[in-house]
Amino acid sequence: GLLSAIAISIPFSSGLFECDLSASYASLMELTASSRFVSIAFTDIIIMSLLAAVLVSEDATRRGWEDKAKPLLAASILLPV
């Protein structure tokens, strides 16, 4: 109910759809170039997200959901936790 409505409204109320992607990407690249911590953390997040997606797909296959394994892999990559 209410909690779902609040969660759904977050991307719209935060201005997520109004951001300048090229400026955000440039800022991220500048930050990763200037900070080892940010660079390592960013790389770690990418590796862990890809690993989690592969593990979700493998789990679906082991449960006998072969038809859902690839869609779950794609969804896990596109919508990481």
Side-chain angles (χ1 to χ4, degrees):
L2 179 62
L3 186 58
S4 295
I6 292 171
I8 290 170
S9 73
I10 290 173
F12 300 100
S13 63
S14 67
L16 179 66
F17 298 117
E18 300 168 2
C19 72
D20 181 11
L21 291 178
S22 61
S24 296
Y25 180 76
S27 295
L28 176 63
M29 290 301 109
E30 180 182 331
L31 191 57
T32 57
S34 66
S35 170
R36 282 190 209 166
F37 176 76
V38 173
S39 180
I40 291 170
F42 183 65
T43 304
D44 186 48
I45 289 170
I46 290 171
I47 291 170
M48 295 300 285
S49 295
L50 292 175
L51 177 63
V54 169
L55 292 176
V56 166
S57 176
E58 182 182 328
D59 182 61
T61 302
R62 288 180 185 219
R63 291 175 187 256
W65 304 340
E66 289 85 8
D67 59 324
K68 296 179 184 174
K70 288 188 180 182
L72 285 171
L73 175 69
S76 297
I77 290 173
L78 294 174
L79 304 167
V81 176

